[in-house]
Amino acid sequence: MFEKFLSKKSIIFIVVIMSLVCFSYFENNNIVISKYNINSNTLPKAFNNFKIVQISDLHNKVFYKDNNTLVAKIKSQKPDIIVITGDLVDRRYYNEEKAVGLINKIKSIAPIYYVNGNHEGLSTKFASLEKKLKERGVFVLRNKSIFYEVGNEKILISGIDDPVFSTIGQYKVLFNEDIMKRELLLVNNKKYYNILLSHRTEFFDFYVNNNIDLAFTGHSHGGQFIIPFIGGVFSPGQGFWPKYYKGMYTKDNTTMVVSRGLGNSVIPQRIFNRPEIVSVTLKAVEKAD
């Protein structure tokens, strides 16, 4: 009788462990596509239904064989452009060939616009990665803005370096508004609808104060663990119970899209926070009278 009871307990224990292992694998590897529509009465009509796919915080992760799953999901959205908002590599397990391998697979889908993150800066090897990205036609936006044209109409796409590049040698990055303002360059030109790529989510108020129409950010890792009905637990740059950790945030005339990211860094596990790519469709709407 005792042996039978022990056998039942062993089976239950094995089932529980296997369930946890499967749950852990699913949470870290099953990519979700988060879709948003953004309405704007300042967006040129030629850009109505313009689609942007965002990937962020890959940290050298490869999804299944050669990232085929990730590539297929990006391709399924039929984007007009792809934006990458930093931490394509991980400074602790640096492997730029994995990052470049993904670029080789998606560069034919749509033009790619990229900004660096804190891991690119802290790795001290960014020059090599930057060179390889440019060789593959990626627009590396280091404190610069470029126009994207459809017909006779334009929008402005801008990107800023992660602040770690301005504070080399300091592990703790200090936010310097003067540096950031200088780096924004043309984005205050309100003649054009402007899209900003920036790794940092926690600078939302700065984006609002500088008249950004739409900002794409990452860095938060979705709070790493999401507690249902409560929110994300921890985010780099924001600490515990981060204010901005996923989805869209709007204030005044600025919308910020926060990617939960794809990979992991210090903490190797996600909980109720599957890796994601973001798909945004811009909608040009008429101004209300």
Side-chain angles (χ1 to χ4, degrees), residues 62-167:
V62 175
F63 286 88
Y64 307 106
K65 181 176 174 58
D66 298 328
N67 266 322
N68 288 338
T69 302
L70 175 57
V71 172
K73 286 185 177 290
I74 293 171
K75 189 177 293 185
S76 74
Q77 295 307 293
K78 299 179 180 178
D80 292 289
I81 63 172
I82 298 167
V83 299
I84 302 175
T85 47
D87 286 0
L88 195 55
V89 294
D90 192 279
R91 72 181 180 91
R92 295 175 181 84
Y93 315 104
Y94 189 88
N95 187 329
E96 67 184 36
E97 294 309 314
K98 289 183 179 180
V100 171
L102 175 62
I103 298 300
N104 286 337
K105 284 179 169 286
I106 65 174
K107 65 182 182 179
S108 63
I109 299 174
I112 302 171
Y113 297 80
Y114 162 90
V115 291
N116 52 51
N118 55 302
H119 276 255
E120 281 91 342
L122 293 170
S123 73
T124 71
K125 301 175 182 177
F126 180 62
S128 173
L129 177 61
E130 181 180 19
K131 180 175 181 289
K132 291 178 181 178
L133 293 178
K134 288 181 175 179
E135 287 173 348
R136 286 155 178 81
V138 175
F139 296 98
V140 178
L141 300 180
R142 301 200 62 189
N143 311 321
K144 66 184 292 186
S145 301
I146 59 177
F147 287 112
Y148 189 101
E149 298 186 32
V150 174
N152 295 321
E153 297 184 304
K154 301 177 182 179
I155 61 173
L156 202 58
I157 303 176
S158 305
I160 51 177
D161 273 356
D162 187 84
V164 75
F165 283 85
S166 301
T167 53

Side-chain angles (χ1 to χ4, degrees), residues 188-254:
N188 282 325
N189 187 340
K190 291 307 296 175
K191 182 179 178 182
Y192 302 100
Y193 185 89
N194 58 68
I195 296 173
L196 175 68
L197 310 184
S198 173
H199 185 59
R200 300 281 176 154
T201 297
E202 61 267 30
F203 300 154
F204 181 41
D205 286 339
F206 178 77
Y207 309 146
V208 173
N209 294 336
N210 283 273
N211 304 310
I212 303 303
D213 291 303
L214 174 59
F216 285 93
T217 64
H219 193 52
S220 68
H221 288 217
Q224 200 66 49
F225 312 133
I226 295 178
I227 300 176
F229 309 110
I230 295 177
V233 174
F234 182 83
S235 167
Q238 296 182 76
F240 287 100
W241 315 115
K243 185 175 182 180
Y244 310 114
Y245 66 98
K246 69 168 185 172
M248 289 198 310
Y249 301 87
T250 299
K251 184 176 180 180
D252 296 339
N253 296 314
T254 300

Side-chain angles (χ1 to χ4, degrees), residues 1-17:
M1 183 72 179
F2 177 75
E3 289 180 355
K4 190 174 182 180
F5 173 74
L6 193 63
S7 178
K8 285 182 178 179
K9 286 184 67 176
S10 298
I11 292 172
I12 292 171
F13 176 77
I14 291 170
V15 169
V16 169
I17 293 299

